Amino acid sequence: MTTDYKNIAVEKDNGITWVMFNRPEKRNAMSPQLHYEMDDALMRLAIDDETKVLIITGKGDAFSAGQDLKLYFRETENDPVAKQRAQQAANSWRWHRITSFPKPTIAMVNGYCFGGAFTQVCACDIAIASDTATFGLSEVNWGVIPGGIVSWNIAELLNHRDAMFYAMTGLPFDGRKAAEIKLVNYSVPADQLHDETVKIAKLLMEKNPATLRYTKEAVRHVRGMSHDQAYNFLGAKLLALQQVDKEKGMQKGLNEFLDSKTYKPGFGEFKR
Ligand code: COA
């Protein structure tokens, strides 16, 4: 696979890497080819030094209308190998590559977000939506269940009442509602979405990257652990961070707060 992508666009801008679904005429529905390209792009960007923060969004008016009903479902119906390849790539990038991405990930939900597209929203560390974005678990409306891992995503992230209600009714809801039920962190007016997302990306880039990576890994992995497992894991994780942190952030933080009294960690960003 070359990086001459046709279904996605990758743009780098001063540390922020934008990965955009690029089938606006099909509301950015996810074809097998789009999945292969996303899988390849995220593999490369994970080890790309220019990428400090990743933002995933859609070109045009849609975030993504979910799986492409024609190319992902119908056209692979009688081709088990093609179906298997597409399913594996879809699951790989939407869950494994995003959740293990070593830098912060933000889903910027700019418009339609249906069905299978919930997975990448849930996988990102942070999600910000336009007030007017339209979300929907439309699967029930065309005879399937929220498959792939969508049912698992909503069971994990939403409260039980909301997960059941939206999965069973298939009713669409807007970005404000998505924020209220905590599918996204918050929503903003459409004309502020880009700048607000960039603001958060820049805030994250101010942080010590090793501390940030270990923080997101810590919070993500303790989910599902017992108290004792978490205590043990976090202790080991903190020691590991001190080994890999080239900026020696902890020593610097202690010195600046306790000795030179030049910095208060409770206020604002870590000075780098
Ligand atoms: N799969 C395949 N094609 C899709 C698609 C999808 N999920 N979503 C949209 N498209 C295509 C349409 O077929 C249409 O193609 P055409 O111009 O060749 O006819 C084009 O994108 C524009 O879609 P259209 O329905 O005309 O746009 P709209 O703005 O009126 O409605 C949606 C947008 C997203 C509400 C509507 O297309 C829809 O319901 N899509 C299916 C959503 C879904 O159930 N996804 C879950 C899959 S897991």
Side-chain angles (χ1 to χ4, degrees):
M1 159 99 51
T2 68
T3 52
D4 181 20
Y5 304 124
K6 302 275 186 293
N7 294 255
I8 65 170
V10 178
E11 284 173 19
K12 295 184 190 177
D13 181 16
N14 289 315
I16 300 176
T17 296
W18 295 82
V19 178
M20 292 166 282
F21 309 122
N22 193 15
R23 303 183 70 218
E25 72 292 351
K26 297 288 182 191
R27 305 299 181 261
N28 296 323
M30 298 181 286
S31 60
Q33 194 59 34
L34 182 144
H35 290 306
Y36 303 143
E37 292 180 9
M38 283 300 293
D39 205 35
D40 185 78
L42 295 188
M43 178 271 291
R44 292 173 194 277
L45 294 171
I47 49 170
D48 171 41
D49 287 340
E50 286 174 344
T51 299
K52 311 289 185 206
V53 176
L54 183 81
I55 301 177
I56 297 179
T57 191
K59 284 231 180 196
D61 295 334
F63 177 73
S64 169
Q67 298 290 12
D68 189 306
L69 272 56
K70 180 169 181 279
L71 300 175
Y72 184 85
F73 288 109
R74 179 178 282 170
E75 291 195 356
T76 61
E77 222 167 19
N78 299 316
D79 186 342
V81 173
K83 191 172 180 170
Q84 179 78 351
R85 279 185 70 211
Q87 284 177 349
Q88 288 195 348
N91 195 42
S92 167
W93 79 262
R94 286 181 307 156
W95 191 252
H96 298 293
R97 292 216 190 276
I98 296 181
T99 56
S100 65
F101 204 77
K103 281 109 22 139
T105 55
I106 306 176
M108 183 177 102
V109 186
N110 52 313
Y112 292 129
C113 177
F114 283 102
F118 274 49
T119 295
Q120 59 263 36
V121 174
C122 294
C124 283
D125 301 322
I126 291 170
I128 306 172
S130 155
D131 286 344
T132 51
T134 303
F135 292 79
L137 291 165
S138 51
E139 290 91 337
V140 72
N141 297 336
W142 62 279
V144 296
I145 60 168
I149 57 165
V150 174
S151 291
W152 183 78
N153 292 139
I154 57 169
E156 199 197 31
L157 204 66
L158 302 183
N159 78 48
H160 183 63
R161 286 275 171 241
D162 291 319
M164 283 302 224
F165 183 82
Y166 290 109
M168 292 180 68
T169 64
L171 281 172
F173 52 96
D174 66 14
R176 288 192 191 90
K177 177 56 88 174
E180 189 186 315
I181 65 175
K182 286 296 163 207
L183 176 59
V184 299
N185 291 89
Y186 56 94
S187 69
V188 294
D191 61 357
Q192 294 170 26
L193 182 64
H194 175 275
D195 290 356
E196 178 62 28
T197 309
V198 168
K199 188 182 92 186
I200 297 300
K202 286 184 174 166
L203 174 71
L204 293 168
M205 283 195 290
E206 288 293 316
K207 312 278 179 203
N208 172 329
T211 309
L212 198 52
R213 175 177 180 173
Y214 275 59
T215 297
K216 65 178 253 181
E217 290 173 355
V219 175
R220 196 174 281 284
H221 289 295
V222 292
R223 299 176 93 193
M225 283 188 193
S226 69
H227 163 275
D228 289 358
Q229 287 168 331
Y231 187 72
N232 186 285
F233 168 77
L234 293 174
K237 201 82 185 155
L238 182 58
L239 285 177
L241 170 60
Q242 285 159 9
Q243 293 302 312
V244 300
D245 180 10
K246 295 189 187 106
E247 299 183 13
K248 300 288 170 218
M250 185 178 172
Q251 278 317 318
K252 191 165 179 286
L254 289 176
N255 292 345
E256 289 182 356
F257 183 60
L258 298 175
D259 304 329
S260 64
K261 295 190 181 293
T262 53
Y263 178 62
K264 295 190 193 248
F267 297 147
E269 297 134 35
F270 190 87
K271 274 197 216 144
R272 301 181 59 212

